[in-house]
Amino acid sequence: MATVKDIYNYIDSIAPFNEAEEWDNSGFLVGDKNAEVSKIRFALDVTSDIINQAIDCGAELIITHHPIIFKPVSDVLSDSLIYKLIRNNISII
């Protein structure tokens, strides 16, 4: 089974992350690079609804166009999207 890292490397091979604008925060942002992936949820943005859909369908990875972390994060509290992702073992690219 493919891992998050395998999928990241594939995306990087066709759309290199190092070619993004310097200010853009693209790439692997949340999760476990070694986690196995059987289902992926694609979206424009990470929202609570998207995370709930990923949980409901058993997706281990969400791939979005816009990064969930764009500005520095000062905390990760129980009501945050990042906390919800980590708690449910969902990675983000």
Side-chain angles (χ1 to χ4, degrees), residues 67-81:
I68 187 169
I69 301 170
F70 193 73
K71 296 179 181 177
V73 175
S74 60
D75 55 27
V76 179
L77 303 176
S78 63
D79 62 344
S80 73
L81 296 178

Side-chain angles (χ1 to χ4, degrees), residues 53-93:
Q53 291 171 19
I55 293 167
D56 290 345
C57 77
E60 302 91 354
L61 176 62
I62 299 174
I63 298 174
T64 63
H65 178 71
H66 297 134
I68 187 169
I69 301 170
F70 193 73
K71 296 179 181 177
V73 175
S74 60
D75 55 27
V76 179
L77 303 176
S78 63
D79 62 344
S80 73
L81 296 178
I82 295 170
Y83 181 91
K84 189 172 187 178
L85 290 163
I86 294 167
R87 183 145 173 105
N88 287 281
N89 297 314
I90 299 173
S91 297
I92 296 288
I93 296 175

Side-chain angles (χ1 to χ4, degrees), residues 7-61:
I7 294 164
Y8 172 90
N9 288 339
Y10 176 74
I11 295 168
D12 190 49
S13 75
I14 58 174
F17 291 107
N18 67 354
E19 291 185 16
E21 293 293 332
E22 195 172 300
W23 50 262
D24 201 0
N25 192 28
S26 62
F28 180 70
L29 300 178
V30 175
D32 178 359
K33 290 180 183 179
N34 298 310
E36 292 186 346
V37 177
S38 62
K39 292 184 181 178
I40 302 170
R41 175 70 171 93
F42 292 90
L44 184 62
D45 294 295
V46 177
T47 64
S48 188
D49 286 341
I50 295 300
I51 296 170
N52 289 337
Q53 291 171 19
I55 293 167
D56 290 345
C57 77
E60 302 91 354
L61 176 62

